[in-house]
Amino acid sequence: MTTVAPTTADGALAELFAAQNERREIEPLTDTWPALDERTAYQIQKKLVAKQVEEERTRVVGLKLGLTSKAKQVQMKVDEPIYGVLLGSRMLGDGESLAVASLIHPKAEPEIAFVTARELRGPNVTAEQARAAIASALVAMEIIDSRYKNFRFTLPDVVADNTSAARYVVSSFLVPAAGLDLRTLGVVFEKNGEVVTTAAGAAILGDPAEGLAWLVNKLAEHGESIPAGTLVGAGALTDAIAIAPGDVVRVSIAQLGSLTLRCT
Ligand code: OOG
Ligand code: MG
């Protein structure tokens, strides 16, 4: 079947939804629709998430930042942060398994996540204000699965694709944020018992609280805020690594603990 490259928001939405459900790669939207802008891309994301919520009979449980570390910006060749949405149906716990074949070409990446204590509403929220609104922090790992071939995309492409979101693994240990210096938390990322990357919390825009401030100020551009009790993934601390059946990947973060994912 030949598919016509989409040049409208509805066409892009249909193509991204089908690509995910059929586990097939597509070319970036901007190859054929260079005028696709960031605002339209976030509108497509919103509609895509609404379709996924309906299809998966689930609900939105959180938000995720992307491209908040230099390592990721360099790896993906996009030099600004982005945000996406986390769905309840795609959450995994420590020690759970992931069937790699259920996705297109998944990669794993280590993250710090937060739970917010109170509503945050931008614009002009500072990192200090954002930090004060963090109730707890936890170890997380994102499984990203761009619907684009070879993970090649521009900012509007990846935004429309809900920032490559596929699965999100979270620890059940929530560590109270009071007294934690998120910047100096050491991060070790291992695959099959070997250390593949390391980082510290400061890899996220100098301070993970800066990531939360960026998110709430960006949401304000779209008239949205972050409700109290929201899970927020702060973005990968290091570059992402490809995973294959049989792999065991593990994220350990000082003071927060560790979590493991088994790939089948
Ligand atoms: C885009 C998603 C980036 C992160 O944590 O930086 C992201 C991608 O790399 O495909 O989730
Ligand atoms: Mg991520």
Side-chain angles (χ1 to χ4, degrees):
M1 187 184 84
T2 322
T3 53
V4 178
T7 53
T8 63
D10 285 346
L13 176 65
E15 188 65 358
L16 283 166
F17 191 66
Q20 186 209 278
N21 288 347
E22 296 160 19
R23 290 190 284 278
R24 72 177 153 82
E25 301 169 330
I26 59 173
E27 298 298 337
L29 301 170
T30 54
D31 274 8
T32 46
W33 185 14
L36 172 63
D37 61 13
E38 183 188 310
R39 179 161 286 271
T40 307
Y42 276 109
Q43 286 164 358
I44 295 170
Q45 180 192 111
K46 189 169 271 246
K47 289 188 182 167
L48 179 65
V49 167
K51 273 174 83 81
Q52 291 167 342
V53 163
E54 202 187 303
E55 166 114 343
E56 298 175 30
R57 298 167 189 272
T58 188
R59 61 190 182 84
V60 171
V61 293
L63 294 163
K64 57 159 282 192
L65 284 153
L67 310 178
T68 44
S69 67
K70 201 77 198 165
K72 281 290 298 189
Q73 291 182 358
V74 169
Q75 185 182 33
M76 309 321 292
K77 303 186 181 71
V78 175
D79 59 7
E80 272 180 76
I82 52 179
Y83 73 81
V85 173
L86 299 173
L87 300 183
S89 48
R90 296 163 178 223
M91 306 300 290
L92 297 171
D94 178 21
E96 281 197 54
S97 304
L98 170 74
V100 170
S102 65
L103 299 171
I104 305 167
H105 45 203
K107 293 184 188 179
E109 52 186 29
E111 304 209 358
I112 292 175
F114 317 123
V115 178
T116 57
R118 67 179 87 101
E119 193 201 20
L120 272 169
R121 186 178 284 275
N124 306 321
V125 171
T126 64
E128 284 83 324
Q129 290 166 334
R131 190 179 300 111
I134 299 172
S136 50
L138 55 140
V139 185
M141 174 163 35
E142 183 169 29
I143 306 303
I144 50 171
D145 192 36
S146 177
R147 266 51 68 171
Y148 303 115
K149 199 172 170 184
N150 299 326
F151 278 76
R152 180 176 68 90
F153 46 67
T154 65
L155 186 140
D157 294 311
V158 67
V159 165
D161 186 29
N162 193 25
T163 67
S164 308
R167 299 287 183 276
Y168 208 78
V169 194
V170 286
S171 164
S172 46
F173 289 104
L174 303 187
V175 178
L180 273 185
D181 178 0
L182 296 171
R183 293 164 56 253
T184 56
L185 297 181
V187 180
V188 177
F189 190 34
E190 287 160 287
K191 180 163 114 173
N192 304 330
E194 281 189 33
V195 175
V196 282
T197 55
T198 58
I204 304 300
L205 297 172
D207 182 339
E210 289 284 0
L212 185 57
W214 180 90
L215 175 62
V216 69
N217 292 328
K218 191 73 186 178
L219 285 167
E221 289 178 18
H222 306 148
E224 292 170 30
S225 64
I226 305 177
T230 301
L231 174 72
V232 178
L237 294 139
T238 75
D239 42 7
I241 56 161
I243 47 174
D247 285 342
V248 177
V249 272
R250 184 175 178 82
V251 180
S252 304
I253 304 184
Q255 299 182 63
L256 303 186
S258 46
L259 63 76
T260 303
L261 178 75
R262 285 162 213 291
C263 304
T264 59

